[in-house]
Amino acid sequence: MASRSLGGLSGIRGAGGGGGGKKSLSARNAAVERRNLITVCRFSVKTLIDRSCFETIDDSSPEFNNFAAILEQILSHRLKGQVTWFGYESPRSFWDYIRVACRKVSQNCICSIENMENVSSSRAKGRAWIRVALMEKHLSEYISTALRDFKTTRRFYEDGAIVLGEEANMLAGMLLGLNAIDFSFCLKGEGLDGNFPAVIDYTPYLKFTQSSDSISSDEEELRTLGSSGSESSTPENVGPPFITDDNSWFNKCKRVKQKYQLTLEQKGYLEELLRLRENQLSESVSQNKILLQRIEDSDLAHKLEKEQLEYIIVELQDQLKSYQSLDQLSAEVSLSQTSLDPCQSQDGDKQDSLHLICEGKEDTPSLLGLCGSLTSVASYKSLTSLKSNDYLASPTTEMTSPGLTPS
């Protein structure tokens, strides 16, 4: 009984350990799958950018076809199926998610793709959307907007999907570099056929670099391994083979020549770029000097204008003071005239006031002008006319009357 119980416990533990091992294995496989897709997508974006420097990217470009297949695989990674009325789960395309999550993008192409006549299936509409978004240079904006709608993303994808992990932010950043490429696609070609799934070609991104310490090439190593496995091989033939194939040397020379030409092209590009930057720098320096000279001229003009305004203000203040003193003198003269006896001679009073005004404000030009106007010939004649006026009463006429004069 004890042995049976121990055996049962060990079986249970083994089953539990097997379940934990399966979970860890599935998590590891999912992580590797996500990492592979993101890495291949980064490589495909780089190859697209490099190819766009030499030719226009269209549907016939293998780099674009591979990139479209990779992006379709990423957006379809762990995509939930659509549950039908009878409870069955039917597969769906990533276009169902894009159509809902990208509605918030301003001036989006969702409605135009929905109304396309030659595109009927959901997968074909998704492929048409990739091409239109690339031509509009808004693919990164579409993906970023869709990933920000986390509620919709959770509704369409299962746990462990790329769009739900940390790789989603890397994806949006990688696609941003495609905005610098001018794409040209035909939306009626065979690339929109949704009957066949997209297949990724990994061979352009798999590269084995032979070590420099290796004496023989790959062909020689394979030939050596094949000869050593045959019965006719002898111990004398065993050893590092000497390269005698002229074709291998020719290929190596060709590769070195290609690298040299590529280096020369990069050198010419960098020199041209440096020349352009130097010209831009010299232009900016000259513009900076011109602006500094303009600033100095404007500062000098402002200083001169400020000094002129200060001088005008001082002159106006002096004139205001002279006007105030003139008003005070005129007021004093009027008061002195009213205080005098009207029977006195007006000639002496006006001359006294005239002498007072001239003596009190000799330095003021306005008062000198005023004194000059009072001492003019016309004013002197008016004073003499007033003095000799018959209507002015004199003390002798007041003392005597016509009736008392002696005959």
Side-chain angles (χ1 to χ4, degrees), residues 95-145:
W95 170 248
D96 299 330
Y97 164 67
I98 294 296
R99 181 182 55 186
V100 177
C102 294
R103 290 284 184 182
K104 298 179 181 179
V105 179
S106 60
Q107 299 179 357
N108 59 75
C109 60
I110 304 298
C111 295
S112 61
I113 292 176
E114 286 285 353
N115 297 327
M116 291 178 67
E117 297 179 356
N118 61 324
V119 179
S120 58
S121 64
S122 179
R123 182 182 293 173
K125 290 180 180 179
R127 292 174 180 177
W129 168 78
I130 292 175
R131 286 161 170 78
V132 173
L134 285 173
M135 287 190 292
E136 292 180 350
K137 303 181 186 296
H138 289 162
L139 182 60
S140 177
E141 183 181 358
Y142 279 110
I143 297 297
S144 300
T145 305

Side-chain angles (χ1 to χ4, degrees), residues 39-290:
T39 304
V40 172
C41 183
R42 185 170 65 251
F43 289 157
S44 65
V45 170
K46 288 183 178 180
T47 54
L48 270 177
I49 295 174
D50 293 339
R51 179 61 61 181
S52 65
C53 298
F54 304 100
E55 61 183 18
T56 304
I57 305 298
D58 53 9
D59 295 284
S60 62
S61 176
E63 290 82 7
F64 166 72
N65 293 326
N66 213 24
F67 167 76
I70 293 169
L71 185 60
E72 186 174 343
Q73 292 282 351
I74 290 174
L75 295 177
S76 301
H77 183 250
R78 290 185 175 271
L79 184 65
K80 292 181 181 179
Q82 187 175 4
V83 180
T84 60
W85 178 265
F86 299 99
Y88 296 103
E89 186 175 349
S90 62
R92 62 171 29 156
S93 173
F94 68 92
W95 170 248
D96 299 330
Y97 164 67
I98 294 296
R99 181 182 55 186
V100 177
C102 294
R103 290 284 184 182
K104 298 179 181 179
V105 179
S106 60
Q107 299 179 357
N108 59 75
C109 60
I110 304 298
C111 295
S112 61
I113 292 176
E114 286 285 353
N115 297 327
M116 291 178 67
E117 297 179 356
N118 61 324
V119 179
S120 58
S121 64
S122 179
R123 182 182 293 173
K125 290 180 180 179
R127 292 174 180 177
W129 168 78
I130 292 175
R131 286 161 170 78
V132 173
L134 285 173
M135 287 190 292
E136 292 180 350
K137 303 181 186 296
H138 289 162
L139 182 60
S140 177
E141 183 181 358
Y142 279 110
I143 297 297
S144 300
T145 305
L147 294 177
R148 283 195 296 268
D149 192 358
F150 190 73
K151 185 177 180 180
T152 304
T153 307
R154 291 288 295 179
R155 182 160 57 91
F156 277 88
Y157 288 92
E158 298 177 355
D159 293 336
I162 294 177
V163 295
L164 292 176
E166 298 178 355
E167 297 86 357
N169 298 326
M170 298 173 58
L171 177 64
M174 285 187 294
L175 298 179
L176 190 62
L178 298 177
N179 295 339
I181 303 177
D182 295 328
F183 294 93
S184 177
F185 301 116
C186 178
L187 300 181
K188 296 181 181 180
E190 297 178 357
L192 300 181
D193 189 6
N195 297 325
F196 301 99
V199 179
I200 302 175
D201 184 13
Y202 291 96
T203 54
Y205 316 116
L206 300 177
K207 184 178 180 181
F208 172 73
T209 304
Q210 190 175 7
S211 177
S212 59
D213 299 332
S214 179
I215 300 175
S216 60
S217 61
D218 296 338
E219 292 83 1
E220 291 292 335
E221 289 178 354
L222 291 174
R223 192 159 46 246
T224 303
L225 290 174
S227 61
S228 63
S230 62
E231 296 179 355
S232 61
S233 61
T234 57
E236 286 81 4
N237 294 331
V238 178
F242 183 74
I243 301 174
T244 59
D245 192 2
D246 295 336
N247 191 17
S248 62
W249 286 107
F250 177 76
N251 292 333
K252 289 182 179 180
C253 181
K254 188 177 180 180
R255 286 196 296 269
V256 171
K257 186 177 179 181
Q258 290 177 354
K259 290 181 180 179
Y260 177 71
Q261 291 179 353
L262 181 61
T263 306
L264 284 179
E265 292 177 358
Q266 292 178 354
K267 178 177 177 293
Y269 171 73
L270 292 176
E271 289 177 351
E272 183 68 19
L273 185 63
L274 179 62
R275 186 181 65 81
L276 292 175
R277 293 294 182 268
E278 287 178 351
N279 293 335
Q280 292 177 359
L281 181 61
S282 62
E283 290 178 0
S284 61
V285 168
S286 61
Q287 291 178 0
N288 189 17
K289 290 181 179 179
I290 293 171

Side-chain angles (χ1 to χ4, degrees), residues 2-32:
S3 62
R4 289 180 181 178
S5 62
L6 290 173
L9 289 173
S10 63
I12 293 171
R13 288 176 182 174
K22 288 180 179 180
K23 289 182 180 180
S24 61
L25 183 61
S26 63
R28 184 256 178 193
N29 292 337
V32 170

